[in-house]
Amino acid sequence: MPRSKRAKLVTLSKVSKKGKEGSLKLFTNIRESVDKYRYCFVFSVENMRNTYLKELRSEFSSDSRFFFGKTKVMAKALGTTPEDEYQQSLAQLSKKLQGDVGLFFTNQPAQAMIEYFSTYSQADYARAGISATREFTVPAGTVYSRGGEIPEDQDVPLAHSLEQTVRPLGMPTSLVKGRVILDKPYVVCRHGDTLNSHQTRLLKLFGVAIAEFRVHLIAYWSAATHEVKDVDAMDE
């Protein structure tokens, strides 16, 4: 039988009273989750959106729990060495807590969760600083509200009042008889471009969502076997 590791005193870093209370709550909730759930995953998020993470929390609320807090506190809760780990082998998992990552506890089968998140994604509007995943060009002529993304007979011309919005963002438009006009096609972005704020505003204005919110499972710990497995290694 493995020795009990639950009674050890762990000191958290010196923080403000309010910050300390939050850290202690996170610390306690993680340890309670270790005792409650069958699996503990370390995960990262691509194109973080709080709205979608909140939806996932709601979807899995009956048998799972997500934590996305201070990595140092989460690592302390799991334990960082064989001597202070809360349960056997958790120190191995805490080593994966690097960068913007979180913990996902669940009672659902590990393989089912790996398969679920391998295909899960939510489209959203890009933010400045990310790389464009595709090219977007607005055709010459009358500018339509979706910028050529759908057939003209299914679209409507861009409102004339928006001409004063798109022109300062770089589009060489003009207003002709109440219609927003481009003399030649305008490339908003090319694949691989690092997007700036003007490009992201134009993409959103034309309803072009090129960012994807995704959850990447990195590794997990099993309460039954006390084993830590890398998710990527399982796919090889």
Side-chain angles (χ1 to χ4, degrees), residues 11-198:
T11 302
L12 298 177
S13 301
K14 292 182 180 180
V15 292
S16 66
K17 182 177 179 181
K18 184 176 180 181
K20 185 176 181 180
E21 289 175 354
S23 295
L24 285 173
K25 183 178 180 180
L26 176 62
F27 181 93
T28 301
N29 287 341
I30 287 174
R31 290 208 159 177
E32 289 177 349
S33 296
V34 170
D35 294 333
K36 179 178 179 180
Y37 296 100
R38 295 168 57 195
Y39 300 101
C40 175
F41 285 86
V42 172
F43 71 92
S44 64
V45 173
E46 183 179 347
N47 295 310
M48 177 63 179
R49 300 291 189 273
N50 288 328
T51 300
Y52 295 133
L53 188 58
K54 185 177 180 180
E55 289 177 0
L56 284 173
R57 283 191 168 114
S58 177
E59 180 180 350
F60 288 95
S61 61
S62 64
D63 55 15
S64 307
R65 190 165 184 182
F66 288 87
F67 293 95
F68 204 78
K70 294 180 179 178
T71 54
K72 288 184 178 180
V73 176
M74 293 190 291
K76 283 271 190 180
L78 297 181
T80 56
T81 68
E83 291 72 32
D84 68 10
E85 61 189 9
Y86 185 59
Q87 286 283 355
Q88 184 181 343
S89 302
L90 277 176
Q92 296 177 36
L93 190 69
S94 71
K95 293 177 182 178
K96 311 290 184 181
L97 291 168
Q98 299 179 11
D100 293 327
V101 296
L103 293 174
F104 169 53
F105 290 89
T106 185
N107 281 329
Q108 295 200 34
Q111 188 58 40
M113 293 296 90
I114 292 169
E115 292 175 0
Y116 176 86
F117 284 109
S118 69
T119 59
Y120 172 86
S121 68
Q122 295 286 347
D124 207 334
Y125 296 115
R127 293 175 178 173
I130 75 163
S131 295
T133 56
R134 53 161 287 194
E135 180 176 306
F136 173 56
T137 299
V138 181
T142 299
V143 179
Y144 283 78
S145 68
R146 292 299 310 281
E149 288 290 283
I150 60 177
E152 291 182 1
D153 60 2
Q154 298 175 23
D155 203 352
V156 294
L158 189 70
H160 67 85
S161 58
L162 289 175
E163 199 271 337
Q164 294 183 7
T165 298
V166 299
R167 186 153 36 88
L169 295 177
M171 289 186 66
T173 54
S174 58
L175 199 57
V176 179
K177 296 181 179 180
R179 292 205 169 198
V180 182
I181 302 295
L182 274 173
D183 289 335
K184 59 183 180 180
Y186 178 73
V187 179
V188 175
C189 65
R190 291 184 171 86
H191 185 276
D193 282 355
T194 298
L195 299 173
N196 60 39
S197 60
H198 285 190

